[in-house]
Amino acid sequence: MKIPIVNGIPVSPLLSDLTTKTTGSKNSLLLKKRLLFISALSVVVAMAISVVAKALIYLINLVTNIFFYGSFNFNFHSPAYNQLGAWVIIIPAIGGVLVGLMALYGSKAIRGHGIPEAMEQILVNQSKIKPSITFLKPLSSAIAIGTGGPFGAEGPIIATGGALGSTLGQVFKITNNERKILLAAGATAGMTAIFGTPIAGIFLAIELLLFEFSPKAILPVALACITGAAGHHLLFESGPVFPMPNVLIPTNGALAIYSGIGLVIGFLSLGLTKVVYYIEDGFEKLPIHWMWWPAIGGVFVGLVGYFYPHTLGVGYDNITHVLSGNITITLLINLMFFKFLSWAIALGSGTSGGTLAPLLTIGGAAGALMGSIISVIFPGSGISVPLAGLVGMSAMFAGASRAYLTSITFALEATMQSNAVLPLLGACSASYLVSFLLMENTIMTEKIARRGVFTPDSYRADPLEKLSVSQVITADGINLNGDTAIKDAEELLNKRKALFIKDTDTLALAASIMAKENVYKLPVISAKHNQVIGVLTYKDILASYNYSVEENELTNLQISLKRKGLKILIKGRGNNS
């Protein structure tokens, strides 16, 4: 509560000079200029990563054709149709050896699937990624995937885009937060360039990379994703990346079944995540150097690929086949189980690859399998097998990563099926709920959590930004009169840089000034009357923050359902009507 001050002199006799030094408007103009600058850099990064994305696809195709078909060309040919026989077993192992050597003599950071590594650099290393990752990551991933690794190209290109944005952010004189924005812009632009899903890219940045929601962060990322989408249409194709039969609006009964499929997929995502890290723990216990782990994982990938060739390589065509609804139940079972087995071992071995495409394949196969079985048992249920596959792949990503909005929007943009909105919402909500209740960390955060890195899982407005100085100031210590000690008077009159805060400013600004200038209290000036009206201490700020947090967590009853409470509810309280 504000207490008026009388019979005292102000901290500074030149209050008019002090108020003219306020830089609110100048800071606002500077921030807008910085926003435009970072946005321009984000667009440049997005343009570059779009070209890199196309080059990565060409490089994967080239490596695949060389190792599986003995030809030097850049056209896509699935490794599933190779004629190598048992020799196919050693090809992923050769790729693993090459990746291990690159990690040993190049950078260990190329290991893994990209997103957790980017998150870790954002959280603990001021978004600084080694520039060498911009070429080592795509090269190692092209070798790993091109030699049969069961990964998608999106993980490596996300890591490469993030590294490119971070590198550009280290060349220019920018803040750590601005570098984080460039990293996220590059990463999500890379994903958008591959899939043509700009909205999903923006949500991916919000849910997994930025850890904030503000105009200064969203606008550069959005512009980068728009640029990445333009790059996709120019360099790849303009239609949906995963075409499927048109989806009809589901009945209420079918909607309930799709939600049930999402619930089951949620439990599958828990098991999938645990198995992946169980396998990774197993590799950690091997009595050999980690450089050889990708080769060992490659042997298992080759063995699985020998018996089930469709588990080899990127497998985007597998997703399209699943969404077509024309795959038999036997093939769906094989694809779901053996793709998971091959991918989990390869990822656990620490090779270079991505997780999104395998998760979509496994989840899509599981969803289509459940949809097929339900359609056979209950032919009048109104279940569409292709839609069940779409629901399954989206719910799997939502449960495993907890990127809820990303999962839904990605499925919609990648297929352009707007009638799938409600089934996707129901299934992803069910899967997300299971994951949130039963799994502490996700497939994206488990690795860095084991290293002691905490990942924020909620984004709330800063309580100090919502409170003004006038709400918490006190008058203690501001008056100078005959009873004021000389030491206290000198402290107040000799504030360096004539520090002060206005009553209309936020507590967040006050806390920032105190921390920067190493002071524990600030005189408060009335913005209206241009005079000192009180003092703000750090204890006031801490108390206000604690109160705001406790207020949000406090449970209380606002409307009573008892007879008296209902009477008040109907007739109003007191004289209110």
Side-chain angles (χ1 to χ4, degrees), residues 480-485:
L480 298 183
N481 48 47
D483 297 326
T484 303

Side-chain angles (χ1 to χ4, degrees), residues 493-534:
L493 289 173
N494 294 322
K495 287 282 184 180
R496 54 184 191 276
K497 299 183 182 178
L499 297 177
F500 68 96
I501 193 80
K502 288 197 244 181
D503 61 341
T504 54
D505 289 329
T506 65
L507 293 186
L509 176 60
S512 175
I513 294 175
M514 287 183 182
K516 184 177 180 180
E517 302 297 338
N518 194 27
V519 296
Y520 66 93
K521 60 184 176 181
L522 290 170
V524 179
I525 296 176
S526 170
K528 184 177 181 180
H529 300 293
N530 210 28
Q531 66 181 27
V532 176
I533 57 174

